[in-house]
């Protein structure tokens, strides 16, 4: 991901290398080229506009520096703006003062929620927590079994409805899981919820009902970074329908252009908290805006 954007920006920067100082027309030309690079990378238009406005303002205001030549100055400005657009500081999970901390996952079917539950479980365990993964996706065939498999792989307990005992209600499953967590001393509960292939009122209502039943400390919106501009519209729909505290980007290992990653924070105002980069449990990390910006400009 981001290869095209990286290459484009490298070309923009190298064209500035011979300049002694930046004229107004250099700044305009550079801003135009960066604009095209971002649009080609599928970054949402309002984000591109704000980004370019910042670049122009800072490039004009840039002091004549002894230490940095114009090309280096532009690289620095673009780097700072990328970090800014990706959210600035790393946003960590806010654990509840009184356990269990309840983390609810929401997103479309196929976004990678169930896989993520396993990854989060593994990560939480490595951070010294005792998580419980909860199978409240009763929509997708095999979702419960899939969670049991990832839970086992991660070495993390899974709370799932027993087949045939009448617990077919995801809200009830979520509610009972909190009791189970208290009972078995799990300090973090990760609730996997049902998604649909597209935004759907019934799914949204179910997620909102689970939210109201368990009052999560963190609702994480899980989104496939490969779906491009759709990530932004889906995020907006979940923000309106359920609300969320943070974003998890999945499939960052894919060959998409990266626009979703660069847009979602700015459009929703919610921080990207984790990134998933593959199907394996260990392909996962806390999201660091500065490292991601660094990778784009590498
Ligand atoms: P859910 O419907 O939201 O629960 O999605 P799943 O967890 O079942 O994931 C859908 C598919 O995407 C599965 O085949 C996963 O193995 C795959 N997947 C999940 N996360 C990633 C990722 O970060 N990278 C890649 N390449 N595949 C992923």
């Amino acid at each position: 991901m981001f290869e095209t954007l990286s290459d484009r920006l490298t070309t923009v920067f190298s064209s500035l290398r011979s300049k002694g100082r930046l004229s107004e027309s250099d700044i305009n030309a550079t801003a135009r080229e960066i604009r095209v690079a971002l649009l080609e990378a599928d970054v949402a238009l309002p984000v591109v506009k704000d980004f370019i406005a910042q670049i122009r303002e800072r490039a004009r205001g840039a002091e004549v520096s002894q230490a940095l030549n114009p090309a280096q100055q532009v690289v620095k400005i673009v780097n700072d703006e990328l970090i800014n657009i990706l959210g600035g500081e790393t946003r960590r999970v806010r654990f509840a003062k009184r356990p269990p901390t309840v983390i609810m996952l929401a997103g479309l079917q196929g976004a990678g929620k169930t896989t993520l539950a396993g990854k989060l479980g593994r990560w939480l365990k490595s951070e010294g927590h005792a998580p419980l993964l909860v199978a409240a996706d009763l929509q997708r065939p095999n979702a419960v079994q899939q969670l049991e498999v990832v839970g086992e792989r991660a070495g993390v307990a899974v709370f799932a409805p027993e087949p045939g005992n009448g617990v077919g209600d995801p809200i009830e499953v979520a509610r009972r899981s909190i009791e189970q967590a208290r009972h078995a001393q799990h300090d973090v509960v990760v609730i996997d919820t049902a998604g649909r292939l597209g935004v759907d009122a019934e799914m949204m209502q179910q997620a909102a009902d689970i939210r109201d039943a368990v009052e999560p400390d963190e609702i994480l919106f899980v989104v496939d970074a490969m779906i491009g501009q759709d990530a932004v519209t889906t995020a907006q729909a979940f923000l309106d329908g359920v609300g969320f505290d943070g974003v998890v980007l999945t499939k960052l290992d894919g060959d998409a252009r990266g626009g979703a990653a660069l847009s979602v924070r700015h459009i929703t105002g919610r921080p990207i908290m984790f990134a998933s980069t593959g199907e394996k449990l260990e392909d996962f990390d806390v999201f660091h805006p500065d490292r991601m910006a660094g990778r784009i400009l590498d």
Side-chain angles (χ1 to χ4, degrees):
M1 199 167 274
F2 294 122
E3 285 85 359
T4 325
L5 180 60
S6 291
D7 291 351
R8 275 275 197 169
L9 291 175
T10 307
T11 313
V12 175
F13 300 146
S14 61
S15 70
L16 295 172
R17 207 149 284 152
S18 58
K19 308 272 180 193
R21 64 184 297 273
L22 289 185
S23 67
E24 186 68 21
S25 75
D26 291 331
I27 293 174
N28 287 336
T30 305
R32 259 198 311 275
E33 286 170 37
I34 295 174
R35 184 174 196 278
V36 172
L38 293 171
L39 289 172
E40 278 189 358
D42 218 13
V43 179
L45 190 58
V47 181
V48 175
K49 284 191 170 155
D50 285 357
F51 193 98
I52 297 303
Q54 288 296 325
I55 299 285
R56 276 179 193 281
E57 193 181 313
R58 286 199 49 195
R60 283 201 192 104
E63 288 175 13
V64 180
S65 156
Q66 300 297 326
L68 299 177
N69 63 39
Q72 289 166 329
Q73 272 187 17
V74 173
V75 173
K76 181 172 181 336
I77 293 170
V78 172
N79 182 55
D80 290 350
E81 270 318 301
L82 281 174
I83 294 174
N84 191 21
I85 221 121
L86 289 166
E89 299 280 302
T90 301
R91 158 74 154 78
R92 309 259 168 200
V93 174
R94 294 188 190 125
F95 291 98
K97 288 202 182 75
R98 279 187 56 221
T101 297
V102 178
I103 301 175
M104 172 177 156
L105 310 181
L108 294 182
Q109 182 173 320
K113 291 182 297 302
T114 306
T115 311
L116 175 77
K119 293 177 176 193
L120 262 180
R122 178 181 182 271
W123 176 79
L124 285 162
K125 205 175 136 184
S126 75
E127 296 275 301
H129 296 280
L132 178 66
L133 309 183
V134 181
D137 177 358
L138 308 185
Q139 218 87 41
R140 185 162 61 85
N142 297 331
V144 173
Q145 194 201 358
Q146 189 189 337
L147 189 70
E148 282 173 333
V149 170
V150 293
E152 190 170 336
R153 240 179 249 155
V156 172
V158 173
F159 183 83
E162 295 283 329
N165 75 349
V167 188
D169 175 10
I171 297 145
E172 192 53 31
V173 171
R175 199 178 280 135
R176 285 195 196 183
S177 75
I178 310 291
E179 290 164 22
Q180 170 66 13
R182 290 212 177 91
H183 175 73
Q185 305 197 341
H186 292 285
D187 66 338
V188 187
V189 174
V190 178
I191 303 177
D192 186 21
T193 67
R196 298 278 167 90
L197 290 174
V199 170
D200 163 301
E202 201 185 322
M203 162 190 73
M204 226 38 113
Q205 189 56 49
Q206 184 182 93
D209 289 344
I210 295 176
R211 174 200 67 200
D212 294 345
V214 300
E215 298 180 349
D217 298 284
E218 301 273 24
I219 301 177
L220 302 184
F221 169 63
V222 183
V223 63
D224 176 345
M226 305 269 287
I227 66 174
Q229 292 275 344
D230 282 349
V232 170
T233 38
T234 310
Q236 196 60 57
F238 273 85
L239 198 59
D240 297 340
V242 189
F244 54 82
D245 305 290
V247 177
V248 181
L249 290 172
T250 65
K251 311 191 192 179
L252 279 177
D253 52 315
D255 60 359
R257 293 169 288 175
L262 286 169
S263 308
V264 74
R265 154 72 214 223
H266 194 67
I267 299 282
T268 65
R270 301 292 182 277
I272 303 167
M273 291 173 61
F274 296 100
S276 167
T277 52
E279 297 190 78
K280 292 201 290 295
L281 280 177
E282 56 273 26
D283 299 330
F284 170 79
D285 209 348
V286 172
F287 184 80
H288 299 289
D290 53 345
R291 287 189 209 163
M292 181 61 89
R295 220 166 298 149
I296 295 169
L297 294 183
D298 209 0

